[in-house]
Each structure stands twice: as C-alpha cells, then as structure tokens.
Amino acid sequence: MMKLSNIQRFWISFILSIPMLIQMIAMPFHWMMPGYNWIAFVTTTIIMAISAAPYWKSAWGAFKHHNANMNTLVAVGTSVAYFYSIYAMFTSREVYFESAAYVTIFVLLGDAMEEKMHNNASNALAKLVDLQAKAAEVLRNGEFVKVPLDQVKPGDTIRVKPGEKIPVDGVILDGSTTIDESMVTGESMPVTKKKGDNVVGSTINTNGTFTFKATKVGSDTMLAQIVDLVKKAQTSHAPIQNLTDKISNIFVPAVLIIAIITFIVWYVFLGASLVSAILFAVSVVVIACPCALGLATPTALMVGTARSAKMGVLIKNGEVLQEVSDINTVVFDKTGTITVGKPQVTNVVGDKNKVLAIAASLEENSEHPLATAVVKAAKEANITIEPIKNFAAIEGRGVKANYNDQEAFVGSDKLLTDINISQEMKSQAVQLQKEAKTVVYVGLGSDIIGLIAIQDVPKASSKQAIAELKEHGLKTVMLTGDNQNVAEAIGREVGIDQVIAGVLPTEKAAEIKKLQDEGNKVAFVGDGINDAPALSTADVGIAMGSGTDIAIESGGIVLVQNDLMGVVRALEISKKTFNRIKLNLFWALIYNTVGIPIAAGLFMAFGVQLSPELAGLAMAFSSVSVVTSSLLLNKTKIAGTAA
C-alpha cells in the first residue's frame, strides 16, 4: 500500500471534512443537512483511518514508555470526540464528529508545512554536486577531447578555456590566467595563476586558456570535502523538542486524571447516572481538546512567515524560530555579505580625469577584475577612453602603450624600479595600502602621475545593520578567507566586534563550533558555497538570496533582498513569531484552566454547568483567540518597516 505524505493526507482530510464545515456554517440558521450524522460518521471515520491513525500510533508508543507528547493530545482529543460521537449518534445525543475531524486537520496542516520545508532543505547536497563541471577537456592520444567528469583520473592533462569551470583540483602546467575562487575560498579579488600554481575544482576561469594536471578527482576534491562537511553538519544537530510536547507531558496526564476523577466522583460519590457521569468526564476532555494547541504553532508560523516574506525574509521552519530566541552572537561572512563582492575604485590620487583616462584607455580590453573596475569608474565619470598604440604587457608588473603619442604605464608597485614617483605620492600609496586597498600606479613618460585605489567596499546597509544588532545586545563577528589587513579594515569601517581572518572553507564550520563551545548561540550569515558547512553548523543559518543555491538551501533563513538590514528584520520577526507561539499556547491553555473546573461540575451548586456542547463552544473560542493572536503579528513593529 502506498504511503501517503502529510501534505496528501491533509488535502484528503480537508476535502472529506467539507460537509461538516457546511453544516457548522448552516447551524446558526437552524438548517440541518439531511442524514448529517451518518455523513459525518463516514467521513470522520475515513479521516481517522487515514490521518489520525499515525498520531494514535505515536501516542500509544509514548504511553508504553510512560511519556506524553503533542500526538498524545491529538490522539486523546480525536478519539474521545470520535468514540463519544458514535455513542451519541446511537443515543440521539449531540455528536462531535467535526471536533475529531478538524483537530486532526489543524494539526496535520502544521506537519504538512514542516514536511514541505524539509523536502526543500533536502536538496542542499544535490545543489552542491550540481555546481561541478559535467565534463572536462582531457589530453588523449595527443589531442584534447571532452570526456565525462567521472572519467577524469589523477595525472590527466586538462585544458580550460576562458569562462569555463575548472573540473577538478590540480596544478597548472602551461599558461596563465585569473581565476575567481570566491565561491570556494572567500577571497574578494580574483587570483592570478601561472605555471606551478594550484587550481581548485568548480572555480571559474575568467580570462586565459591554460592546461593543468589533475591531482584530486571525485571524492578527494575540495568541493567533495565541502559536501561531506555539509552532510555532517546537517546530521549533527540534536532534534529540538517542541514546546507543545513539553506542555503535553504535564497537561495530558493531568487532564486524563481529572476526567477519571470527575467520572468517579459523580458516579460513585454523588449518585449521578452513568450517562451524566460520562458527560461530565467527556466535557472535561472536550474542553481540553488540543484544537487550539494544534493551531498555536502553525497559525503563528503562517502569519509570521507570510509577513517576513513581504520584507524579503524567508523563514524555513519552526525550529529556526525557537533557536533565534536564544541567539547572542551573529557571525558574518565578508565577501558578498558585508561587502558588495566586486572590486570598486575608491580613491584616485592626482588629476582624477587624466589618471582615469590613461588607466581606462590601457585597460579597456583587459578582462582582469581590477581593470574592469577602472574602466567602470571612468565610464561613470563620463571620461573619454582614447585609442592606444603599441600595447604590451610588462611581465609581472602591468601594461604599457602609446597614449596620445606618449608612453603610458598602468600596473603594480613593481613599476617603481624604472619610473620616478614623488615622496608625497609614495606616502599616499602606503596610507591606502594600510587601509587594505589595492593600489594601481599610473605613469606617463618616466613619471608616476597618479594612483588608483581599488577595494571590495562594504554594502551601504552593513554599518547600520551591525549597529542595530549591537543595540539588541548581540555580539558581531566577521569570518573570512581574506587576509588580516583587508578583514580588519572592513571590520573597523562597519563596526564589527571581532574579526577572524585567513580561514579556509573547511575551517569555517570549525570556527563556528569554537564559538558554540564557548557557550554562544550562533547565527551565521553567508552567501557562498564555502559558507554552506558554516550555515548548517550554526544554530541559525542566514543565507543571502543573491548567493549560490547551496548557501540558500543550507540556511534556515534566506534573505531574498541582498540587504544586510534583512538580518535585523529576520532576527526580529523570528523572535516575535516564536514569542507569539508561546502567547498562543497561553491562550490555548487558559481556557482549560478556567473551563476544566466548570466542566467537571465544581460550580453546579451555583447553577453553572458546562455541557459537552458548551465545552465544544469554549474550545472553539480558544481557537478564535489563537487565530486572532496570530493575525496580530501583522501589526507588530519591525526594524525598517511600517507597523
């Protein structure tokens, strides 16, 4: 027999319950559906068999181990309402089939939502593997032929062209290029590679053709190691016990004991008839029915996640909400998270227009990321890019060409061995380098006429977001593969409390674990493949929506908009949603606290009695209160949004 998912069971149960819903709507108008009791009996029986049975089985298992959980509440509520309704149907009394059906449906709704979220999260590892190249150009019998990745062996010679992914790990044999390794190392700047340098599988070759020898393939590559880390991180989390289960451990036994005592007192000591004693006991159980408890979490979750989605924050599951309430440390990746992720011109020393014009003219045809940043800055300043002649690369130093009949140079500080530079400009270059900026020297004739500083700058929202997190009493940490100077400069600029730099991708999760071992509850914010293990290891993973799919899948919270203020909003709405769940549980239980003594007949002497019908009505009011409480989440004030 095919096993139905929670989502399938929910829809089957909901469709079957429609006649009962119609009858409930029609009751105030004194209309009774013909043959309603039999219709309700048949549909509820099917719902019990398809949807309630797993809860009954779980409750029985817990009972055998002397425990009670949320499923115990569901089982008790549905079974009492169902079996009493069968008794009532054959004794011409009011039936409560709808209570049994809708308790099951409401609880199943929450389980169906959770199942859908878990299905989405399970794609994380598959997304990682999909990021690998599917084939490689391998030297076979003196010529390069494309072969599937699984046919590549250590020692093979492989060719990679511009724009292609590097298929496996290896060492360059011939050629030079610039490789974007940010997806694996976290480095903000693409790295220049030449003969003898190592390359990492799945990184992107940007502007040169080269050949390399494969050294690690299959499960030995760095990407495969990251996949393994994500697996371990995802399975290392201990299951979070639901708050309602904790409540039910005390609540369920107490209700059952009260119901039994109620029956005994009325039947044995007060001389009530068997039916009257049963009705008192049933009233106790009906008013304690977990309908509102079943609604407490899913309604708040639905409203909270719907509102957060409008703010660009996707919350994946209820476990995240519970973890967020205890977070005291927020750790950020740097590249693409705190920073823009692309090099930008930040300073121009000298005649800005002239310096940018010369540099952009020489660099226009280059695909190097630094050259791209220079050309972009010139175009944004509406500077004309002039044609050049006799272009040539200066090995290891830069480029040169004839610019307006003068020899011009653009390159690194290695140019200074041949070209004059003023002491003042030298000092300015040193100062810019202290600020962790890459300095490009621009020369004309035999003199350096200007400097261009390039840096991966912080996002506009980073400083404000970090300041607001600190105002909430949270410690902020930056974790990056960049060098110490770059990391500390960015950290000072945005106000980070602690900087951890030079961290390899395989070490990021370990750094998160260290913080956790020190007693911190950690949220990690990242966007790259190298962030996936850390996102999974952290108590709460927050993935930037502009990042790779795997980062998004590994995070418990996803920021759709690439805005760091989203972290503030994510933590606030998560905390408020979880607090609303706790408030809902209070409202769900307050009716029991007030109603159970009345249902047990303690106030009969004052003419106050709660029949099963009124107990069901009180239960309905508790559900209304819970739904109303959840809807009020739409009115709570969140940072950067209107209330």
Side-chain angles (χ1 to χ4, degrees):
M1 188 180 204
M2 184 181 68
K3 185 178 180 181
L4 297 173
S5 68
N6 286 332
I7 297 171
Q8 291 171 322
R9 289 193 293 136
F10 167 76
W11 284 112
I12 291 171
S13 299
F14 179 76
I15 292 169
L16 287 169
S17 70
I18 290 175
M20 289 179 279
L21 178 62
I22 294 171
Q23 180 58 50
M24 285 189 287
I25 294 172
M27 279 184 68
F29 302 100
H30 306 291
W31 179 81
M32 176 62 71
M33 183 182 296
Y36 171 73
N37 284 359
W38 283 103
I39 293 172
F41 169 67
V42 172
T43 55
T44 303
T45 299
I46 298 173
I47 291 172
M48 294 298 102
I50 293 175
S51 300
Y55 298 123
W56 291 3
K57 184 177 179 181
S58 173
W60 178 247
F63 174 75
K64 288 193 294 184
H65 290 88
H66 310 291
N67 289 322
N69 54 27
M70 182 63 188
N71 290 336
T72 306
L73 288 172
V74 177
V76 170
T78 54
S79 61
V80 169
Y82 175 67
F83 289 113
Y84 170 76
S85 295
I86 293 175
Y87 163 79
M89 185 174 70
F90 290 103
T91 55
S92 301
R93 297 179 183 276
E94 188 77 22
V95 298
Y96 297 94
F97 287 120
E98 64 276 2
S99 294
Y102 278 101
V103 166
T104 303
I105 290 169
F106 287 139
V107 176
L108 193 54
L109 174 61
D111 289 346
M113 291 172 61
E114 184 178 356
E115 182 178 276
K116 186 175 181 180
M117 292 169 188
H118 285 168
N119 289 342
N120 291 337
S122 68
N123 293 324
L125 295 179
K127 291 288 181 71
L128 258 181
V129 175
D130 285 344
L131 290 167
Q132 290 180 314
K134 301 298 185 290
E137 277 194 88
V138 181
L139 187 63
R140 294 276 196 265
N141 300 321
E143 61 179 311
F144 286 99
V145 294
K146 187 161 284 190
V147 301
L149 194 64
D150 58 8
Q151 294 183 19
V152 177
K153 302 174 182 177
D156 278 344
T157 297
I158 301 171
R159 181 171 66 185
V160 183
K161 297 175 182 177
E164 292 182 343
K165 287 182 180 178
I166 298 169
V168 295
D169 297 357
V171 178
I172 293 180
L173 297 173
D174 183 57
S176 61
T177 187
T178 302
I179 296 176
D180 180 1
E181 294 186 336
S182 60
M183 63 196 307
V184 172
T185 65
E187 288 287 346
S188 57
M189 298 291 185
V191 182
T192 299
K193 299 280 187 176
K194 59 184 185 300
K195 183 178 179 180
D197 288 339
N198 293 322
V199 293
V200 179
S202 299
T203 56
I204 299 174
N205 179 34
T206 59
N207 63 357
T209 298
F210 67 93
T211 59
F212 75 98
K213 182 176 74 173
T215 57
K216 292 181 179 180
V217 301
S219 61
D220 294 328
T221 63
M222 182 176 287
L223 182 63
Q225 292 175 39
I226 291 175
V227 171
D228 185 55
L229 282 173
V230 173
K231 283 182 181 177
K232 291 178 180 177
Q234 287 184 336
T235 57
S236 65
H237 287 296
I240 300 170
Q241 187 178 17
N242 194 287
L243 187 59
T244 52
D245 283 342
K246 294 178 181 178
I247 293 172
S248 65
N249 280 328
I250 300 171
F251 179 64
V252 173
V255 169
L256 294 177
I257 291 169
I258 292 170
I260 292 169
I261 292 173
T262 299
F263 173 80
I264 292 172
V265 168
W266 279 104
Y267 186 63
V268 176
F269 297 104
L270 299 180
S273 67
L274 179 63
V275 172
S276 296
I278 289 175
L279 287 176
F280 278 118
V282 167
S283 294
V284 169
V285 177
V286 169
I287 200 169
C289 187
C291 186
L293 277 175
L295 284 169
T297 298
T299 55
L301 194 60
M302 281 188 290
V303 176
T305 51
R307 185 177 179 201
S308 65
K310 293 177 183 177
M311 301 186 297
V313 176
L314 303 180
I315 302 170
K316 288 192 174 180
N317 55 55
E319 288 186 355
V320 173
L321 299 175
Q322 188 163 340
E323 290 288 359
V324 165
S325 64
D326 295 325
I327 292 298
N328 57 21
T329 302
V330 183
V331 180
F332 296 89
D333 171 52
K334 182 183 76 66
T335 306
T337 301
I338 289 179
T339 64
V340 174
K342 296 180 180 179
Q344 298 180 21
V345 171
T346 58
N347 305 81
V348 178
V349 176
D351 184 329
K352 179 179 178 180
N353 288 350
K354 186 175 182 181
V355 169
L356 282 177
I358 294 173
S361 297
L362 269 65
E363 299 281 22
E364 183 182 21
N365 295 318
S366 172
E367 295 180 13
H368 192 283
L370 298 184
T372 303
V374 169
V375 173
K376 181 182 177 184
K379 289 180 177 179
E380 288 177 349
N382 295 319
I383 293 172
T384 302
I385 296 176
E386 302 288 347
I388 57 172
K389 297 178 181 178
N390 303 323
F391 177 86
I394 308 172
E395 183 64 32
R397 292 186 289 175
V399 297
K400 66 179 180 179
N402 284 338
Y403 173 84
N404 289 340
D405 298 325
Q406 287 183 284
E407 190 172 59
F409 308 84
V410 178
S412 68
D413 55 1
K414 294 178 181 178
L415 285 170
L416 303 185
T417 57
D418 303 318
I419 304 173
N420 299 322
I421 182 171
S422 68
Q423 191 59 44
E424 180 183 355
M425 201 164 287
K426 274 187 179 181
S427 299
Q428 288 177 298
V430 170
Q431 180 58 41
L432 290 169
Q433 287 169 339
K434 285 181 179 178
E435 296 172 5
K437 297 175 181 177
T438 300
V439 177
V440 175
Y441 295 81
V442 180
L444 191 62
S446 60
D447 300 315
I448 296 295
I449 65 165
L451 309 172
I452 299 175
I454 301 173
Q455 187 182 49
D456 183 14
V457 298
K459 295 175 183 174
S461 61
S462 295
K463 187 173 183 179
Q464 180 189 354
I466 289 166
E468 292 208 20
L469 291 173
K470 291 166 77 170
E471 283 181 12
H472 283 76
L474 298 171
K475 178 184 178 182
T476 56
V477 180
M478 184 167 72
L479 185 63
T480 179
D482 262 342
N483 67 68
Q484 195 70 35
N485 286 338
V486 171
E488 288 183 354
I490 296 294
R492 284 193 300 270
E493 187 172 349
V494 299
I496 285 284
D497 293 320
Q498 180 182 354
V499 173
I500 304 174
V503 181
L504 294 174
T506 53
E507 298 172 342
K508 284 192 172 184
E511 291 292 340
I512 296 294
K513 191 69 170 61
K514 283 181 187 177
L515 290 168
Q516 291 171 325
D517 290 342
E518 293 169 3
N520 297 301
K521 284 286 187 178
V522 179
F524 179 77
V525 187
D527 75 328
I529 300 174
N530 57 302
D531 297 329
L535 283 164
S536 296
T537 300
D539 297 286
V540 175
I542 303 177
M544 304 296 287
S546 62
T548 60
D549 287 341
I550 175 59
I552 293 173
E553 291 289 352
S554 297
I557 297 175
V558 178
L559 306 182
V560 177
Q561 299 167 343
N562 197 8
D563 176 6
L564 219 56
M565 278 301 294
V567 176
V568 181
R569 292 192 285 270
L571 296 180
E572 279 199 31
I573 190 64
S574 296
K575 284 185 178 181
K576 290 186 176 182
T577 302
F578 183 62
N579 288 338
R580 190 53 54 110
I581 289 173
K582 291 191 289 186
L583 180 63
N584 286 352
L585 294 174
F586 166 78
W587 282 115
L589 292 171
I590 195 67
Y591 284 93
N592 302 128
T593 304
V594 174
I596 286 176
I598 301 174
L602 294 183
F603 298 96
M604 278 289 291
F606 304 99
V608 178
Q609 182 181 2
L610 196 61
S611 64
E613 293 88 346
L614 291 177
L617 185 60
M619 182 187 68
F621 275 128
S622 69
S623 299
V624 171
S625 298
V626 164
V627 172
T628 303
S629 173
S630 294
L631 290 173
L632 288 175
L633 263 175
N634 284 318
K635 303 297 181 182
T636 57
K637 187 175 182 181
I638 305 295
T641 65

